[in-house]
Amino acid sequence: MTLDTIGEEIKKANSIAILAHESPDGDAIGSVLAMGLALENMGKQPDRIITEYPRKFQFLPGADKVKKESQVEKYDLAIALDCSDLRRLDGKEYFENAHKTIVIDHHSTNTMYGDINFVNPVATACCEILIGIFTYFELDIHQDLGTCILTGIITDTGGFKYQGVTAETFEFTAELLRKGVNVSEIYEKVLETRTRSNFELLKRILNRMEILENGKVAFTYITSQDEEEVHAEPGDHEGLVEVGRNVEGVEVSIFIRQIDNEAKYKISMRSTSDINVSDICYLFGGGGHPRAAGCVIQGTVEQVKEKIIQEVRNRLN
Ligand code: AMP
Ligand code: MN
Ligand code: MN
């Protein structure tokens, strides 16, 4: 079974790198930190590598052990978490050079780019898959480990509110509460607190938001200049796409963010209907989940907007 093979590879490895997708969200961060603690419990000394660690996740156990880069050229083992394809992997060079590679993920669009791939698209978060793995390895899911795992679940379910949340999600959360995990602190820090820069970006995206296609599509954007003006740090744009989705009648929310002052935008899409935004993003070389997906498109705001809305229009009733 795959989990036995994963266990064997971990046992054999002397040097291990733990990686996740670029622009890491709570699930990516939670997964890396949880895996780091779990491997330490297994007697390993893994390197957790995240190039741009968002400030809001600084409170998590093990955050101080995260490295921006590593001097190790060839790891015995590299583990990629919450990342659907190699292109999006932060620190992909460590993965490409590693002797053995493992991918653990919950994106249905995962390209299975590891030597060993453990992908479950039904899981609400990569962190949820880790619970299964750690339980299989008979590791104790203690308070710190639970805090990291729950951070991933809380972020990727929007605070237990998206489809995909099951009775098990709550049962597991209840179990962690008993172990002393501070659920309200995680909730408060991860979902309820805006950085000042994020708040300034929010004002801009609200001003620019257009409700199109008979009220079914919300569109808004930020440029690199906006981010410079509000002194945005990594992660400060997170959550802005949710604003449009919450408007009555909107089925698809589109938020685009300029990349490095270039004629190039990162697209974030959210759906509240049967429109599968992952399928749309896949057309542009991206992917994600049916109700939350992303991709990168070249062009100006107007050009990118037209390209993406065209595809949404084709799917609206
Ligand atoms: P985001 O809008 O960046 O929060 O991403 C929403 C979901 O789509 C997340 O699960 C991402 O991992 C996934 N995603 C975002 N951008 C891409 C991309 N370029 N390729 C594949 N998956 C993506
Ligand atoms: Mn993620
Ligand atoms: Mn995830």
Side-chain angles (χ1 to χ4, degrees):
M1 142 123 186
T2 313
L3 286 184
D4 292 319
T5 323
I6 291 177
E8 281 158 26
E9 291 301 336
I10 291 172
K11 276 193 199 102
K12 271 198 298 197
N14 286 318
S15 59
I16 307 177
I18 312 174
L19 313 165
H21 65 76
E22 61 189 9
S23 272
D25 51 20
D27 191 28
I29 304 265
S31 296
V32 168
L33 297 183
M35 183 56 87
L37 291 173
L39 294 186
E40 278 175 358
N41 288 358
M42 294 168 83
K44 302 290 166 180
Q45 289 179 316
D47 281 345
R48 305 129 162 105
I49 305 170
I50 296 176
T51 317
E52 292 192 320
Y53 192 93
R55 200 155 39 94
K56 76 194 266 191
F57 297 109
Q58 209 63 56
F59 75 101
L60 287 172
D64 52 326
K65 296 184 181 167
V66 170
K67 298 179 177 181
K68 276 184 178 300
E69 56 187 355
S70 154
Q71 304 310 321
V72 180
E73 268 174 30
K74 196 171 174 66
Y75 281 94
D76 291 340
L77 180 64
I79 306 177
L81 301 166
D82 193 39
C83 182
S84 57
D85 59 89
L86 188 57
R87 259 182 320 146
R88 286 196 82 217
L89 189 63
D90 184 21
K92 59 173 92 53
E93 61 275 22
Y94 306 111
F95 193 90
E96 285 171 321
N97 292 338
H99 190 66
K100 259 275 165 351
T101 57
I102 297 176
V103 170
I104 300 171
D105 185 32
H106 70 127
H107 293 90
S108 59
T109 49
N110 192 290
T111 58
M112 308 287 177
Y113 54 99
D115 296 323
I116 306 167
N117 300 282
F118 193 74
V119 177
N120 174 8
V122 176
T124 54
C126 183
C127 276
E128 189 181 300
I129 302 178
L130 295 185
I131 300 169
I133 297 179
F134 298 159
T135 308
Y136 187 80
F137 291 166
E138 297 181 345
L139 292 175
D140 173 34
I141 301 187
H142 51 72
Q143 189 175 344
D144 282 355
L145 192 49
T147 301
C148 299
I149 290 177
L150 206 53
T151 297
I153 294 178
I154 286 179
T155 353
D156 267 22
T157 61
F160 306 110
K161 69 174 187 271
Y162 297 158
Q163 281 191 344
V165 171
T166 60
E168 283 76 34
T169 316
F170 288 106
E171 277 157 10
F172 177 73
T173 306
E175 192 56 35
L176 289 179
L177 271 167
R178 273 186 214 104
K179 289 186 176 170
V181 172
N182 192 338
V183 177
S184 68
E185 185 198 22
I186 300 175
Y187 214 103
E188 182 68 32
K189 293 215 160 117
V190 170
L191 288 186
E192 303 292 324
T193 310
R194 291 187 182 281
T195 59
R196 282 293 301 276
S197 304
N198 175 272
F199 178 67
E200 294 303 326
L201 291 176
L202 173 65
K203 291 202 270 189
R204 294 184 188 211
I205 65 126
L206 279 172
N207 264 330
R208 288 172 192 159
M209 191 169 292
E210 297 174 85
I211 306 291
L212 308 161
E213 306 296 320
N214 291 324
K216 292 182 175 173
V217 175
F219 173 87
T220 192
Y221 68 94
I222 55 171
T223 61
S224 300
Q225 195 185 339
D226 290 322
E227 294 201 62
E228 282 156 29
E229 284 170 5
V230 306
H231 310 292
E233 287 182 27
D236 278 339
H237 62 279
E238 288 291 332
L240 296 176
V241 65
E242 315 291 341
V243 180
R245 196 193 50 182
N246 295 342
V247 180
E248 185 180 20
V250 167
E251 294 186 21
V252 175
S253 172
I254 307 166
F255 162 66
I256 73 170
R257 172 179 175 240
Q258 191 178 20
I259 302 173
D260 299 334
N261 266 309
E262 292 172 33
K264 193 157 93 176
Y265 285 79
K266 162 73 210 289
I267 318 301
S268 276
M269 295 183 79
R270 298 292 183 268
S271 164
T272 58
S273 68
D274 291 338
I275 296 180
N276 185 323
V277 286
S278 176
D279 285 350
I280 296 175
C281 289
Y282 194 72
L283 294 174
F284 297 101
H289 312 284
R291 287 171 177 246
C295 58
V296 174
I297 302 181
Q298 311 273 346
T300 61
V301 172
E302 282 308 315
Q303 289 164 340
V304 171
K305 174 181 159 190
E306 195 39 49
K307 280 184 198 169
I308 200 86
I309 289 185
Q310 177 82 39
E311 288 305 326
V312 177
R313 196 179 292 134
N314 289 341
R315 288 164 174 80
L316 285 171
N317 295 322

